[in-house]
């Protein structure tokens, strides 16, 4: 609730970026002590780690009285994908080239099950650029959102079950 004076910064905290569990624990911690985090000027809470369920999304948004955004990221790739308020899928930021390829044939996928492939771009990854990096993730692609191509993570390809006809079941 205190103001601060830092050059080129807001005078109050307007965004929180934590793991989902940290936000849930912190929210409960301050709530039990009678503090109202909704009185702050936080307008967006970003959570990472794993996607949260609708119940937790609603709890965070209600407790903080602000927008809640799930974040999908990878340790080895600069950049992230944010959950979309319109379609519910994730949209990757513009610092990388994202491709969605069929799990078996590696042909491009317009909609449906795909492998997530990422190429990182200069100047953010000068030391170790990744060209067509296969993340090992299976996703469902949705290209019908006005925000651009989106995806929903299903899990690791190595953990999928291969059916007798050769298709993968996440």
């Amino acid at each position: 609730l205190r103001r601060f004076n830092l050059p080129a910064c807001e005078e109050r905290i307007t965004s929180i970026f934590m793991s989902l569990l940290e936000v849930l624990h912190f929210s409960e911690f301050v709530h039990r002590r009678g503090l109202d985090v909704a009185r702050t000027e936080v307008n967006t809470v970003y959570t990472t780690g794993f996607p949260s369920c609708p119940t937790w999304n609603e709890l965070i948004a209600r407790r903080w009285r602000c927008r809640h955004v799930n974040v999908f990221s990878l340790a080895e790739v600069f950049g992230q994908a944010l959950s979309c308020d319109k379609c519910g899928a994730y949209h990757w930021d513009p610092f990388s080239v994202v491709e969605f390829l069929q799990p078996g044939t590696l042909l491009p996928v317009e909609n449906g099950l795909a492998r997530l492939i990422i190429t990182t771009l200069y100047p953010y990854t000068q030391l170790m650029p990744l060209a067509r990096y296969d993340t090992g993730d299976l996703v469902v692609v949705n290209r019908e959102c006005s925000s651009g191509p989106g995806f929903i993570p299903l899990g690791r390809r190595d953990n999928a079950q291969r059916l007798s006809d050769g298709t993968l079941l996440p």
Side-chain angles (χ1 to χ4, degrees):
L1 297 176
R2 292 189 205 140
R3 295 180 185 274
F4 52 90
N5 186 11
L6 294 173
C9 292
E10 300 283 338
E11 62 181 23
R12 291 186 185 226
I13 296 170
T14 57
S15 297
I16 302 283
F17 192 107
M18 292 182 185
S19 76
L20 174 63
L21 294 177
E22 288 171 332
V23 167
L24 292 171
H25 286 288
F26 180 70
S27 298
E28 186 62 23
F29 176 82
V30 297
H31 178 72
R32 287 182 181 223
R33 279 152 185 77
L35 301 172
D36 184 7
V37 290
R39 289 185 40 224
T40 67
E41 294 183 23
V42 172
N43 56 35
T44 310
V45 172
Y46 298 91
T47 57
T48 188
F50 51 89
S52 60
C53 65
T55 302
W56 288 352
N57 291 341
E58 195 272 325
L59 177 114
I60 292 167
R62 187 182 69 240
R63 180 91 19 107
W64 288 83
R65 287 193 205 123
C66 71
R67 180 175 175 233
H68 173 238
V69 178
N70 279 302
V71 178
F72 178 90
S73 62
L74 302 163
E76 58 276 43
V77 175
F78 178 83
Q80 60 196 7
L82 303 179
S83 61
C84 179
D85 293 334
K86 298 176 199 169
C87 71
Y90 291 87
H91 299 282
W92 205 271
D93 62 29
F95 305 118
S96 303
V97 175
V98 177
E99 297 177 84
F100 303 107
L101 304 179
Q102 290 179 5
T105 65
L106 299 180
L107 294 172
V109 171
E110 286 301 310
N111 289 300
L113 183 66
R115 291 165 72 164
L116 179 63
I117 311 294
I118 299 175
T119 298
T120 57
L121 298 175
Y122 177 85
Y124 300 103
T125 53
Q126 296 175 38
L127 184 61
M128 189 183 81
L130 298 172
R132 299 194 85 196
Y133 174 69
D134 187 344
T135 65
D137 291 317
L138 289 175
V139 298
V140 172
V141 181
N142 175 7
R143 296 187 185 267
E144 299 178 14
C145 183
S146 61
S147 298
F151 67 93
I152 297 172
L154 297 177
R156 306 295 291 171
R157 186 177 65 250
D158 291 344
N159 296 335
Q161 182 177 16
R162 186 168 299 280
L163 302 179
S164 60
D165 65 359
T167 59
L168 287 175
L169 182 63

